[in-house]
Amino acid sequence: MSTQPAPTAGPADPVTAEDTTPDRTTSGDPAPADDPPAPAAGWRRSARRVATWTLTALAGLLVFLALVVPNQPSRFTPGQFARIPVEAVLALALFLVLPGRARRVAAVLTGAGLGLLTILKFLDMGFYTAFDRQFDPLIDWMLLDDGVNFLTDAVGRAGAIGAVAGAVLLAVGLPVLMTLAMLRLARTVVRHRRLTSRAGLAVGAAWVVCAVLGAQVVPDLPVASKSAGGLAYHRVLQVHEGILDREKFAAETAVDAFQDTPGSELLTALRGKDVIIAFVESYGRDAVEEPEFAQVGAVLDDGTRRLAAAGYGTRSAFLTSPTAGGGSWLAHATLLSGAWADNQQRYQSLLATDRLTLNGAFRRAGWRTVTVMPGLTDPWPEADFFDNDRLYGAKDLGYRGPRFSFAPMPDQYTLAAFQQRERSDPEHAPVMAEIPLISSHSPWTPLPRLLGWNELGDGSVFRPMAKAGPSKDEVYRDPARVRTQYRLSIEYSVSTLISYVETYGDDDLVLIFLGDHQPAPVVTGEGASRDVPISIVARDRAVLDRISGWKWQDGLRPGAQAPVWRMNDFRDRFLTTFGR
C-alpha cells in the first residue's frame, strides 16, 4: 500500500516553508554542545512567542484603527470604534484564497493604499479644522505653501519647520508601516488558516446581521462599517468631478452680460462718488447672530445710530461666501468678478480670463481704481486681472509700527494711509477702492485699539499694544478664549470703519463693507452656514433709493429674515442697479 508524501513548501511560498521547518529544540536530536541549557531555550521560545503575538496584535490594531478612524475631528467618539469594518473581512478572505506570491502583492498594495487613505484622513482633519471642508486631492496641494506660511505666523518658524518635518515623516512612514502590518497579518492568516477561516466567517456573519438590522451603538453610526471603502470611492469620484469642473467653469465664465458694455452706460447713478468696497476678514453671520457675540451686534447698532445722526443711511443683508475659515482671495474674486470661485482651480482659471470685474467696470466708467492690500508683502501677479490703476502693498503704506501677528498693520492705519494717498485732496478724481481689512484675521491676538485719527503718524504709536494681551499659546489652549478674541477683533474692525465714515465721510462717499467668510470651526463649530453680512452706507439718499428693490434691512446689523444672495450674484445686481 502506497502512502501520499507529506506536502512541502516550494520556493514561491516562504511563509509555508518557514511554518513546516522543524524546531531543532523539539526534534529529538541532541542539542549541540554550545546550545544554551534547556530552561533558557524554553524561556527564549516563550519570549519570542509573546513578541510575535504582540507585534501581530499591534499590526491588527493599526489596520483596524486606520479603517475606522474618522476624517473629521468632531466624530472622534468611543462609538466610532465600536464597529466592524467590512474591508477587514474582505482582506482576510483575500489572503486566504490567494497563493503565496499573489497574496504578498495584495498585502503590499492594500497596506500602501490604506496608508495613503489614512494620510488623506489626516489632511481632511486639518482642512475641516481650518476651512470646514474636506481636502481635495486634485487641487488643494496648491494651498500647502499658504498653510506653511500660516503656521509660521501662528507658531513661529521653528514650530512650522517641526510641523512640516513631522508631516513629511508621517507621509513617508505611514504607508511603509501599514504595508509591513498587512504583510504580517497575511502571514498569520495563512499560518493559522483553520482558526482565521472560522473567525472570518463569524465576523462576516456578524457584519451581515448588523447591516440588515441597521445596528448602531451611537446614532447615525452603523456597526457594520464600510466607511474606508466609501471614502476611497468618493475621493475617486471627487477627482473625476474636479477634472470635469474645468470645462464647466470655463463655460460659466464665458457668459458675461457686461463684458462689452461701454463705460458711458456703466455705474451712471454713482457718478462723482468715492466708492469703497472693504472686506472684513472672518466677519461671518455668526458674529451678528450668536448670543456669545452679542457685543458685536451692540457695536453695529450703536454705529447705526451714530451714522444716522451724521446723516448717513445704512442697509444690510447677507451673502453666501464660496469659502469658510480661510481662502479670502476666493471670496474677493467671486464678489468682484461675479463668477463662483470656490476652489483654487477655479480661481486660477478665472485669472486667465478677461472677465469684467467691478474694479474694471469702475475704471472703464472713468473712476480711478485702487486696491489697498496691507497684508501683501510679496509680488502679486494676479493684480492685472482686477484692472486697477494702482496697487498698494504693505511697503507702499509707510507703516513703521509693530506687526500684529498675521496683520502687518492695524486696520485703522490702513484706512488712514488710503485716505491720505487717495482722498485727502479736495479736488481728487472719484476713486473706487478695494480694501481687505485683516486685523480680524486669526489668531486674533494681540489686537490694536482705536485711536484718534490724528494720532497715528507712521504707526509707531501702536508699539505698546503689540506687546499687550494674551499670547497665542494662552488663547489657543482655551476655545472659549479663542471666541472672545475673535469677537474683540470684529468689534475693532467694524468700529474702525464706522469711525472712518464719521471722520472722513461726505456726501460723495459710498461705503460697502462685508465679510469675506465665516471664521474657522473653532469659533463657529462644524457645519455652520457660509453666510457673511454686507452693508451699504451712504449720505446721498438717492443711492439707497436705488437699492430699495433689493429689500435689504435698515441698519448695519442684518436680522434673521434679511435677504441672502450668493456672493457671485452681487456684481451683476450692482451693475444693473446703478447702470443706465
Side-chain angles (χ1 to χ4, degrees), residues 64-65 68-70 75 77-85 207 210 215-218 221-225:
F64 173 77
L65 291 176
V68 301
V69 71
R75 294 183 180 177
T77 62
Q80 181 71 44
F81 302 95
R83 311 181 75 190
I84 304 172
W207 187 93
C210 290
Q216 298 178 359
V217 175
V218 295
L221 201 63
V223 173
S225 169

Side-chain angles (χ1 to χ4, degrees), residues 45-100:
R45 285 197 302 273
S46 298
R48 281 198 301 269
R49 189 176 297 113
V50 170
T52 296
W53 282 108
T54 299
L55 287 174
T56 301
L58 290 175
L61 179 62
L62 179 65
V63 170
F64 173 77
L65 291 176
L67 290 172
V68 301
V69 71
N71 65 339
Q72 292 181 246
S74 62
R75 294 183 180 177
F76 270 88
T77 62
Q80 181 71 44
F81 302 95
R83 311 181 75 190
I84 304 172
V86 70
E87 299 86 359
V89 178
L90 296 175
L92 188 150
L94 192 66
F95 294 155
L96 284 171
V97 302
L98 288 177

